[in-house]
Amino acid sequence: MLSTVAKQLRNHPALIPLFIFIGGGATMSMMYLSRLALRSPDVSWNRQNPEPWNKLGPKDQYKFFTVNMNYDKLKKDRPDY
């Protein structure tokens, strides 16, 4: 199968950028999904502590991207459970 793809790429060099961008997009989407599965506070892989998001403090940054937000100056505004 790879030999067929290589032969087509030799005959049609305009397909090379298409393969590069599709491969890059697939790689970036898999990296983002693995980041969500491993780093997100909404996903718990630990059976001893099934709700780790209850231990997040107000100064913990859990968003992927924030604009003009300083987490060091936040105060606790919720009760302890």
Side-chain angles (χ1 to χ4, degrees):
M1 177 155 167
L2 290 177
S3 63
T4 306
V5 172
K7 188 170 127 179
Q8 288 292 325
L9 288 178
R10 273 188 241 113
N11 291 339
H12 305 285
L15 294 176
I16 293 173
L18 178 69
F19 278 92
I20 290 172
F21 284 108
I22 287 177
T27 302
M28 286 191 290
S29 65
M30 291 304 295
M31 289 173 54
Y32 183 67
L33 285 175
S34 63
R35 182 197 178 275
L36 284 177
L38 298 174
R39 296 272 186 181
S40 177
D42 298 331
V43 178
S44 175
W45 296 90
N46 188 358
R47 291 177 189 239
Q48 285 77 28
N49 186 11
E51 296 178 350
W53 47 86
N54 287 336
K55 295 190 189 273
L56 285 176
K59 294 183 179 181
D60 293 332
Q61 180 179 359
Y62 60 91
K63 290 187 176 182
F64 184 68
F65 181 71
T66 57
V67 179
N68 297 332
M69 185 69 163
N70 189 359
Y71 285 94
D72 294 333
K73 295 180 180 178
L74 292 178
K75 294 184 175 146
K76 186 175 182 178
D77 62 347
R78 55 187 177 248
D80 289 330
Y81 291 110

